[in-house]
Amino acid sequence: MIKKIQEKVKNIIDIEDNLKIANQKFESRLMLGTGRYKNVQEAIRSIEASKASIITVAVRRIQYSKSLGKSSLIDLLNWDKLWLLPNTAGCETADEAIRIASLGIEINKRINQEQNKFIKLEVISDSNYLLPDPIGTLKAAEYLVNKGFNVLPYIYPDPILAKQLEDIGCSAIMPLGSPIGSGQGIRNTENLSIIIENTSLPVIIDAGIGTSSEANKAMEIGAKAVLINTAIAKSAEPRKMAESMKLAVMSGRECYLAGIMKKQIHGTSSSPETGLLKIK
């Protein structure tokens, strides 16, 4: 009887703490990318182990696979249980990203997610460090929002840009932890914390996370979710790494909700200061 009550309470807590983006609820706060895996089977096993709800796929990669007549990952996943987040990876200008975003919505329709207007917006003209173009991103985001898209822009952790994107109607903010695929972890905690503090939108840390401890840290500072690809795909055992990231995100979220103690310079005894045994 007690076990049943505990399970019921846990289910209620889980439902109340679901990730919410543009009125859509998701059970998992871990989002997965689909590039860089050795093969499709390895990607599928990793996605299953991660228990992720949202999977992002580059629109250009889908179109390329289709042109070759090969079965792509998108054809093999169960989209009744997953939510597709098409992304505009590879676009160097706002106009290019807008065109690719439109193709992304058509792909959503193809997997019977007609109500899915989500698009991960990437505008990257820097081929060396792969840093997002703030002006191009803002321009494309405003156009797509006005066309009814739920835009999730990928940005450098710039609090002013994040606020501008919120003001024009974006559905979430996706600041990078460090450059894409670098594995450097979270390099600008201060700016990320400002973005989290100043926006009412979900903040999803995207890019640069290399270990589960870094995913945990992202959640501890108040991010609503993290998006991970390379750290899992390029690990020695992607399925195990995906499970590790899943647990790290869950743990970090619980830590944040629990309320982290304030740091101080001096030590404080954890033992009581009254009622001590007197020794003569």
Side-chain angles (χ1 to χ4, degrees):
M1 182 66 180
I2 294 175
K3 187 177 180 180
K4 287 183 179 179
I5 293 173
Q6 289 175 335
E7 288 177 353
K8 188 174 182 180
V9 171
K10 183 180 183 299
N11 288 335
I12 292 171
I13 292 171
D14 289 346
I15 291 171
E16 289 178 348
D17 191 42
N18 281 349
L19 172 64
K20 187 176 180 181
I21 305 173
N23 295 320
Q24 186 76 25
K25 291 183 178 180
F26 305 97
E27 291 185 6
S28 175
R29 293 178 180 274
L30 173 59
M31 302 162 63
L32 253 59
T34 53
R36 297 179 175 270
Y37 286 94
K38 293 176 184 176
N39 51 60
V40 172
Q41 290 71 31
E42 190 171 73
I44 292 173
R45 286 193 294 268
S46 299
I47 290 169
E48 290 173 347
S50 73
K51 303 298 182 186
S53 300
I54 301 175
I55 305 300
T56 184
V57 179
V59 174
R60 284 187 159 181
R61 185 179 300 121
I62 297 170
Q63 296 299 309
Y64 180 67
S65 298
K66 187 177 179 182
S67 68
L68 292 176
K70 297 180 179 179
S71 292
S72 66
L73 179 64
I74 198 168
D75 297 317
L76 300 173
L77 292 172
N78 183 358
W79 296 108
D80 291 333
K81 296 182 178 180
L82 298 170
W83 188 260
L84 178 60
L85 176 60
N87 70 64
T88 63
C91 293
E92 297 184 355
T93 67
D95 291 342
E96 192 178 9
I98 289 167
R99 289 195 299 272
I100 293 297
S102 298
L103 292 175
I105 297 303
E106 293 305 312
I107 293 168
N108 288 343
K109 293 177 182 178
R110 171 182 150 191
I111 61 170
N112 298 318
Q113 291 187 4
E114 289 83 0
Q115 78 282 17
N116 183 352
K117 304 297 183 183
F118 281 42
I119 193 76
K120 181 191 173 192
L121 177 61
E122 297 184 30
V123 182
I124 301 175
S125 55
D126 168 28
S127 61
N128 190 14
Y129 295 99
L130 300 180
L131 297 175
D133 173 4
I135 297 173
T137 300
L138 186 62
K139 177 183 175 182
E142 186 168 20
Y143 179 90
L144 292 171
V145 167
N146 290 334
K147 289 295 182 180
F149 287 71
N150 296 126
V151 181
L152 288 72
Y154 170 66
I155 67 169
Y156 186 80
D158 178 349
I160 303 302
L161 176 60
K163 193 62 182 173
Q164 291 172 331
L165 289 163
E166 178 181 11
D167 291 342
I168 65 174
C170 288
S171 298
I173 304 296
M174 302 185 74
L176 59 84
S178 53
I180 295 173
S182 69
Q184 294 179 30
I186 299 175
R187 307 294 291 177
N188 199 333
T189 305
E190 292 77 12
N191 276 24
L192 290 171
S193 295
I194 293 171
I195 292 172
I196 291 167
E197 179 184 351
N198 288 345
T199 183
S200 60
L201 297 178
V203 176
I204 303 161
I205 307 300
D206 177 16
I209 290 176
T211 67
S212 54
S213 62
E214 292 159 0
N216 182 274
K217 180 64 177 177
M219 299 305 295
E220 285 183 356
I221 65 174
K224 289 294 191 295
V226 297
L227 194 156
I228 300 174
N229 187 177
T230 309
I232 296 174
K234 288 300 183 181
S235 64
E237 296 190 47
R239 188 197 63 77
K240 283 189 176 181
M241 184 61 78
E243 187 170 6
S244 173
M245 292 296 184
K246 174 194 72 175
L247 296 173
V249 169
M250 292 171 64
S251 174
R253 178 63 178 172
E254 289 297 305
C255 179
Y256 173 75
L257 293 176
I260 301 171
M261 65 173 287
K262 293 182 179 180
K263 293 181 181 181
Q264 55 188 29
I265 297 175
H266 302 289
T268 303
S269 174
S270 58
S271 302
E273 296 182 0
T274 59
L276 298 177
L277 179 64
K278 294 183 179 180
I279 300 177
K280 294 182 180 180

